[in-house]
Amino acid sequence: MPADEVLRRSRDGTTADLVFESGGGSWSAAALLVLRTLAVLLAVGLVFLPAGILVVAVAVIVGATFVGTVTVCGALWAAAALLLWPFAAVAELRSVRRVQFAPARAPTELRFVRGARAGAWAPISGLRRIQLDEAVEEPYEGDPEPAARTLTITVVTLTGDDGRRHRMPDGTDVDALQRSLEDLLGPAGVPVLRRTERRVRRKPPVPAGGWVYGGSGSANSGGGFSGGG
């Protein structure tokens, strides 16, 4: 993902936004987030569909009616989603969607935008640092897959307003993002720190009993007809 999609200007050009997730910041956006949370919970329930089919089959075998069993299973699935919905919705509404810096070119203030609303503006002097944590998984020798990179961003303040690690989309241009953050926050004396951890991807084990090319041929090479009589 290009760096200008992670750190970008707002529509009116008054703020620079460090975007973690789309949406949020208004009650209309919050309503969509809440409905999306319910849809996600219902969709997650489909993962257990094979187990539900098995339960229905067993119940029918032992004498229950098909319609009655399906109705009970469906009611339990919907009830579980509705019970979890308030907790998931609250977590979604409280999560920080983006951090806004104002003015856009030489910020002196910042605020956190959550699912339902934007917080109060605070002096940028309360921002201790921006932490970029990059994990690089390098290919093993002979691995056809390229290296994989993941990035998390932590906004560290004096008051601990956010403080959690935000996973960014794979493919984010970390170098360009770091430069953009340094250009934006450097004049205010806010450091942008980067930590990179590298490891080599584990080579998959050779399957037990795998074929070794040439082995069977050499073992049977002496069993051919010699001819003659």
Side-chain angles (χ1 to χ4, degrees):
M1 173 178 286
D4 57 5
E5 293 186 17
V6 178
L7 182 64
R8 62 192 185 203
R9 295 283 182 89
S10 60
R11 292 182 179 179
D12 57 10
T14 59
T15 64
D17 295 2
L18 179 59
V19 180
F20 302 133
E21 300 177 74
S22 61
S26 66
W27 289 109
S28 59
L32 292 176
L33 289 175
V34 170
L35 293 175
R36 189 184 70 176
T37 302
L38 178 60
V40 169
L41 289 175
L42 292 174
V44 169
L46 295 177
V47 175
F48 301 96
L49 184 60
I53 294 175
L54 180 61
V55 170
V56 171
V58 172
V60 171
I61 291 174
V62 299
T65 63
F66 176 79
V67 175
T69 304
V70 170
T71 301
V72 171
C73 290
L76 291 175
W77 167 51
L82 291 175
L83 287 174
L84 293 174
W85 185 24
F87 301 98
V90 169
E92 189 78 7
L93 293 177
R94 295 183 62 183
S95 66
V96 173
R97 321 295 292 190
R98 62 185 182 274
V99 183
Q100 291 186 314
F101 301 95
R105 294 187 178 277
T108 58
E109 295 180 304
L110 81 159
R111 68 176 179 179
F112 294 94
V113 178
R114 302 181 186 273
R117 60 183 178 82
W121 289 102
I124 202 169
S125 58
L127 179 59
R128 295 182 60 184
R129 68 180 182 274
I130 300 289
Q131 179 75 43
L132 306 178
D133 291 300
E134 181 185 25
V136 182
E137 187 181 59
E138 298 178 336
Y140 56 84
E141 185 176 356
D143 187 1
E145 297 295 326
R149 298 173 181 268
T150 58
L151 172 67
T152 58
I153 301 178
T154 307
V155 180
V156 183
T157 66
L158 295 174
T159 58
D161 288 332
D162 184 23
R164 75 180 186 93
R165 294 158 62 98
H166 297 271
R167 170 74 181 267
M168 306 308 296
D170 293 341
T172 299
D173 190 334
V174 186
D175 294 331
L177 178 60
Q178 182 180 9
R179 290 193 298 268
S180 298
L181 286 169
E182 289 173 342
D183 292 342
L184 177 70
L185 302 175
V190 178
V192 179
L193 305 182
R194 179 176 175 181
R195 180 176 59 189
T196 302
E197 295 183 358
R198 297 180 180 272
R199 69 180 183 90
V200 177
R201 186 180 299 130
R202 181 177 298 178
K203 188 175 183 179
V206 178
W211 288 96
V212 179
Y213 291 104
S216 60
S218 60
N220 298 325
S221 59
F225 291 104
S226 61

